[in-house]
Amino acid sequence: MARSYDLVLYGATGFTGGLTAEYLAAHAPAGLRWALAGRDLGKLAEVRGRLGRRAAELPLLHADAGDAASLRRLAESTEVVASTVGPYVKYGDPLVAACAAAGTDYTDLTGEPRFVDETYLRHHATAVRTGARLVHACGFDSIPADLGTWFTVQQLPGGVPLRVESFYRVSGRASAGTVHSLVGAVADAGAARQAARERRRRDPAPGAEPLRLLPRTHPVGLWTLPMPTLDPQIVGRSAAALGYGPGFTYGQYLALPSPVHVAGALAGTAAIAAAASWAPARERLLGRFASGSGPTAEQRLAGWMSVRFSGVAADGTRVLTEVHSDLDPGYASTAIMLGESTLCLALDELPATAGQVTTAAAMGARLVERLDAAGITFRVRRRWPRSG
């Protein structure tokens, strides 16, 4: 059945959704059939008004996470839906269900492990049957880790055990949506563990090393802490799907300039965890972050991201690579990553995949090319000859 749109952005009235709409309006190719969707057509019209003349006639579609019929109509009208409506564990599942049933590709910005595991359990089999590609974590979670690891593996020999470690250095500020998702994930830790256990039972995927409790030193001298995020799970699933070699392992760390910064990061994380675990403190914390708010344009321009990857093969081959952006990682860069991921699914010739798949498995080399052209660069910093 012919569909009306190539791409629909769901949630453009939110902070990151608005940035993604601006990116698509500025960079979508001529002739792309796309639209904005959400529950408030008036607010969508305000967003469209900020996008300039190229988007003056952009269609606006009504869709509400609480209205299954509207989500079904949305999914059936387009080739791909990009969702920026979070927290995803609270609002995201009905749209994933609609896309899986309609054979519609789907992207989002989630960093919520419980959501990813639960949508796999509920909708992966349906999406495999209909041909839908369900691609979570198409922003700062988890594209730098997933595609950066994929890029690093391409520089190493095949058929031997590989170890990749990533080291994150970032500058940027959080939006209300990020804070709400983070606090919700901490408060929901029990349900997340249960979903993860069931996911591992159905879909075991190696590749994420256990978290280290003590800081270790980065190869270039920075202090590091393990990052307990969704990213290692995504990388492990890409490794299993794409065959990164026998005995592949991955570790992920936040790189900090001194032990003092390490102590500060640990104290801040502990404070957020404590507040999220106690309802009165949680409500007070969330009340400080109004829905739809986020860093200013000046703050986004001042942000940056540098993720370096140390890749070592069992035969002694070693490489250092980097994923870099001169823009704020969580918002300006994330809008680029989600925009290009969704355009890639909508327009490019890609490997045949279906079900819940990662960015590396679904889009791999083509998405790296797109992001590199958009200013999120993938580079080899250094190569070492094989030892011995």
Side-chain angles (χ1 to χ4, degrees):
M1 182 182 299
R3 304 201 179 196
S4 300
Y5 306 107
D6 301 309
L7 181 163
V8 174
L9 175 62
Y10 175 63
T13 59
F15 187 78
T16 310
L19 296 177
T20 306
E22 292 172 11
Y23 182 80
L24 289 171
H27 296 90
L32 182 78
R33 303 170 304 150
W34 69 292
L36 303 179
R39 64 180 180 179
D40 190 325
L41 294 179
K43 290 183 178 179
L44 285 175
E46 292 176 8
V47 173
R48 181 176 63 184
R50 301 198 303 263
L51 302 183
R53 289 192 302 173
R54 286 188 65 189
E57 302 300 322
L58 196 64
L60 306 178
L61 311 177
H62 174 263
D64 189 326
D67 180 353
S70 71
L71 297 179
R72 184 177 65 251
R73 289 192 297 270
L74 169 62
E76 291 174 351
S77 72
T78 184
E79 300 293 339
V80 191
V81 175
S83 174
T84 61
V85 178
Y88 289 93
V89 76
K90 186 174 182 180
Y91 300 114
D93 188 80
L95 179 58
V96 180
C99 288
T104 299
D105 293 338
Y106 167 92
T107 60
D108 66 26
L109 296 174
T110 191
E112 303 164 46
R114 176 187 169 189
F115 175 69
V116 174
D117 288 338
E118 289 184 344
T119 58
Y120 176 88
L121 296 171
R122 293 169 181 164
H123 309 303
H124 171 74
T126 299
V128 169
R129 177 175 55 80
T130 64
R133 294 170 288 190
L134 309 178
V135 190
H136 298 294
C138 295
F140 183 59
D141 298 296
S142 298
I143 278 183
D146 192 28
L147 291 186
T149 299
W150 177 87
F151 179 78
T152 303
V153 168
Q154 307 314 303
Q155 319 306 319
L156 295 168
V160 299
L162 304 178
R163 177 175 182 81
V164 176
E165 294 179 300
S166 63
F167 301 91
Y168 277 66
R169 296 172 60 227
V170 298
S171 176
R173 300 197 181 194
S175 76
T178 297
V179 173
H180 282 246
S181 291
L182 175 61
V183 171
V186 173
D188 240 2
R193 286 193 293 269
Q194 182 178 349
R197 284 194 296 268
E198 180 61 19
R199 171 73 182 264
R200 285 194 298 271
R201 189 182 70 81
R202 295 198 203 176
D203 175 40
E209 70 165 20
L211 292 177
R212 301 183 182 186
L213 298 179
L214 297 176
R216 64 188 298 278
T217 304
H218 182 287
V220 297
L222 295 173
W223 288 81
T224 64
L225 283 174
M227 291 177 65
T229 68
L230 174 66
D231 297 351
Q233 299 172 40
I234 297 290
V235 171
R237 285 164 192 148
S238 291
L242 298 174
Y244 287 174
F248 171 81
T249 58
Y250 173 77
Q252 182 166 310
Y253 306 91
L254 179 65
L256 298 165
S258 74
V260 174
H261 289 82
V262 170
L266 288 172
T269 301
I272 291 174
S277 301
W278 186 43
R282 182 168 65 244
E283 295 306 316
R284 184 174 180 180
L285 175 62
L286 295 178
R288 296 177 58 188
F289 294 87
S291 178
S293 64
T296 65
E298 292 77 14
Q299 290 167 340
R300 296 196 300 273
L301 287 172
W304 52 270
M305 169 184 73
S306 171
V307 188
R308 292 196 176 184
F309 295 81
S310 172
V312 181
D315 69 354
T317 305
R318 183 182 169 199
V319 66
L320 184 68
T321 67
E322 182 181 34
V323 178
H324 179 87
S325 174
D326 287 327
L327 298 173
D328 162 81
Y331 305 99
S333 295
T334 282
I336 295 171
M337 289 186 269
L338 179 62
E340 291 296 343
S341 297
T342 311
L343 289 168
C344 191
L345 285 179
L347 301 176
D348 295 346
E349 186 173 341
L350 298 170
T353 56
Q356 190 187 96
V357 288
T358 64
T359 53
M363 293 172 271
R366 185 67 190 104
L367 185 53
V368 168
E369 292 171 3
R370 279 184 167 274
L371 293 175
D372 205 64
I376 299 175
T377 58
F378 293 71
R379 295 288 182 269
V380 175
R381 302 282 303 188
R382 186 176 176 185
R383 298 180 190 272
W384 289 263
R386 188 175 66 176
S387 60

